[in-house]
């Protein structure tokens, strides 16, 4: 009797784990429209563990057909993540371009520490999100202001403010209309890529509450519309997209020659948020660099005190 109960329990547990794996594959391709699907889609990479556990559970109770089904589901989940682990061929001999993104968590980040990171990295482009007026004052008073970077600043209350910094002068500066937060665009000259359009991105967040998920998706669609209207030529968009690789609306941005840096560099699973919760370990990758006319050769993250995001640093080479 005890054996039958254990086998039944194992069967139920295995089926639940298998359902998680199947659901993850569906969510990867499903265009989420609200928090009910946005949140679980962020956890799709973890479904490899659930489906793998299902294989072990079914094997322990000798359900071989279900073992085979679970193994197929493991493979299906891995297929959704494979592009992030496979590096693309990179141009050789071209000058390296470094870009950096940092969300300051409503201005609470340690600006002095950020200045040290900027000094060490010497980026060509910097995108700062959630820059409050107070945080902007601290940035202006920090070594960042004397690092030879050209500034396009649009600080604001709460999470709205954004700053775009470039090593070369900027022209054609504008704020993208119709978006919840301040998203900025300018043209600058980068090594091997003159006339590059750079975007400092901060798409709306699907915070808990009625309608916010739908608003976040609407913002991503608006961003896609803005990017699609840009003239041909090199382009880099850097920032907090509030969406992961597994969100279809994020991948919809990757059209017309636009590619994801982590995909190009084979950076794998590189979570950036949140760093202020239990264990201070980020679990979702919502900070990104996407580009046209470049190949990312390296992606990495570094800690920054006072904020809930890791700093994202990407090395690019012009095609």
């Amino acid at each position: 009797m005890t054996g039958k109960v254990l086998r039944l329990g194992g069967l139920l547990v295995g089926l639940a784990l298998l359902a998680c794996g199947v659901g993850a594959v569906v969510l990867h391709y499903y265009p989420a429209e609200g928090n009910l699907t946005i949140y679980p889609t962020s956890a799709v990479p973890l479904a490899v563990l659930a489906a793998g556990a299902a294989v072990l559970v079914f094997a322990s109770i000798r359900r071989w057909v279900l073992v085979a089904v679970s193994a197929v589901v493991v493979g299906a989940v891995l297929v959704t993540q494979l592009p992030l682990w496979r590096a693309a061929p990179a141009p050789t001999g071209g000058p390296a371009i470094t870009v950096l993104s940092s969300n300051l968590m409503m201005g609470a980040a340690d600006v002095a520490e950020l200045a040290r990171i900027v000094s060490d990295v010497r980026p060509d482009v910097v995108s700062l999100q959630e820059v409050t007026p107070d945080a902007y004052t601290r940035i202006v008073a920090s070594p960042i202001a004397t690092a030879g970077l050209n500034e396009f600043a649009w600080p604001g209350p709460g999470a709205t403010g954004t700053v775009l910094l470039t090593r070369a002068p900027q022209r054609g500066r504008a704020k993208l209309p119709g978006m919840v937060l301040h998203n900025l665009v300018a043209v600058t000259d980068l090594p091997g890529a003159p006339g590059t359009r750079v975007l400092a991105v901060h798409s709306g967040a699907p915070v808990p509450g009625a309608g916010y998920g739908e608003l976040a998706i609407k913002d991503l669609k608006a961003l896609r519309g803005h990017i699609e209207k840009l003239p041909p030529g090199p382009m880099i968009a850097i920032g907090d997209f509030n969406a992961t690789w597994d969100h279809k609306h994020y991948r919809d941005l990757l059209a017309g020659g636009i590619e994801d840096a982590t995909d190009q560099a084979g950076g794998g699973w590189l979570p950036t948020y949140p760093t202020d919760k239990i264990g201070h370990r980020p679990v979702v990758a919502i900070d990104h660099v996407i580009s046209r006319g470049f190949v990312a050769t390296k992606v990495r993250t570094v800690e920054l005190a006072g904020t809930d995001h890791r700093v994202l640093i990407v090395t690019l080479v012009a095609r």
Side-chain angles (χ1 to χ4, degrees):
M1 182 67 178
T2 302
K4 288 183 178 181
V5 171
L6 290 175
R7 285 193 294 274
L8 177 59
L11 177 62
L12 294 175
V13 170
L15 289 173
L17 292 168
L18 179 59
C20 289
V22 172
V25 175
V26 172
L27 287 170
H28 177 81
Y29 296 102
Y30 175 76
E33 295 293 344
N35 286 349
L36 187 63
T37 48
I38 289 174
Y39 288 172
T41 301
S42 301
V44 165
L46 302 178
V48 173
L49 302 177
V55 171
L56 298 177
V57 170
F58 289 136
S60 71
I61 59 176
R62 301 178 183 275
R63 294 287 186 131
W64 305 118
V65 172
L66 290 174
V67 166
V69 172
S70 299
V72 170
V73 172
V74 170
V77 178
L78 289 174
V79 165
T80 68
Q81 306 303 306
L82 185 60
L84 298 178
W85 295 89
R86 185 175 54 201
T92 57
I97 299 164
T98 303
V99 300
L100 180 152
S101 174
S102 182
N103 183 307
L104 306 189
M105 198 176 78
M106 298 189 183
D110 186 331
V111 169
E113 185 176 339
L114 176 63
R116 287 193 293 271
I117 295 171
V118 169
S119 177
D120 290 342
V121 173
R122 292 188 55 78
D124 297 282
V125 183
V126 176
S127 170
L128 303 178
Q129 308 92 50
E130 302 197 14
V131 182
T132 61
D134 175 70
Y136 178 66
T137 299
R138 286 183 281 125
I139 290 169
V140 170
S142 78
I144 295 174
T146 59
L149 297 172
N150 296 271
E151 171 196 293
F152 179 19
W154 207 305
T160 61
T162 304
V163 170
L164 174 62
L165 303 169
T166 59
R167 192 157 298 281
Q170 302 173 9
R171 54 194 183 273
R173 300 189 298 186
K175 177 177 177 287
L176 298 181
M179 299 190 70
V180 175
L181 309 172
H182 301 329
N183 288 251
L184 310 179
V185 60
V187 178
T188 191
D189 297 325
L190 295 174
T196 296
R197 280 178 172 77
V198 288
L199 283 73
V201 172
H202 192 192
S203 188
V207 296
Y212 285 106
E214 292 80 358
L215 187 62
I217 297 302
K218 182 180 179 182
D219 226 31
L220 277 176
K221 291 179 178 178
L223 177 62
R224 179 185 177 187
H226 289 307
I227 290 176
E228 288 176 343
K229 292 176 184 176
L230 292 177
M235 183 278 297
I236 307 174
I238 312 156
D240 176 4
F241 289 73
N242 273 306
T244 72
W245 166 264
D246 292 291
H247 289 101
K248 185 178 183 301
H249 291 297
Y250 170 74
R251 297 197 311 280
D252 285 344
L253 297 172
L254 308 177
I258 297 172
E259 299 180 75
D260 175 90
T262 305
D263 177 6
Q264 290 180 318
W269 186 54
L270 198 67
T272 57
Y273 172 87
T275 59
D276 63 335
K277 301 298 188 292
I278 298 174
H280 301 283
R281 298 290 182 182
V283 294
V284 292
I286 60 175
D287 299 273
H288 306 282
V289 171
I290 63 175
S291 69
R292 179 175 61 215
F294 300 89
V295 176
T297 59
K298 184 178 181 181
V299 295
R300 63 188 179 100
T301 63
V302 297
E303 295 285 349
L304 175 62
T307 181
D308 51 357
H309 287 246
R310 282 185 174 176
V311 177
L312 177 65
I313 303 168
V314 175
T315 302
L316 302 165
V317 178
R319 292 185 189 275

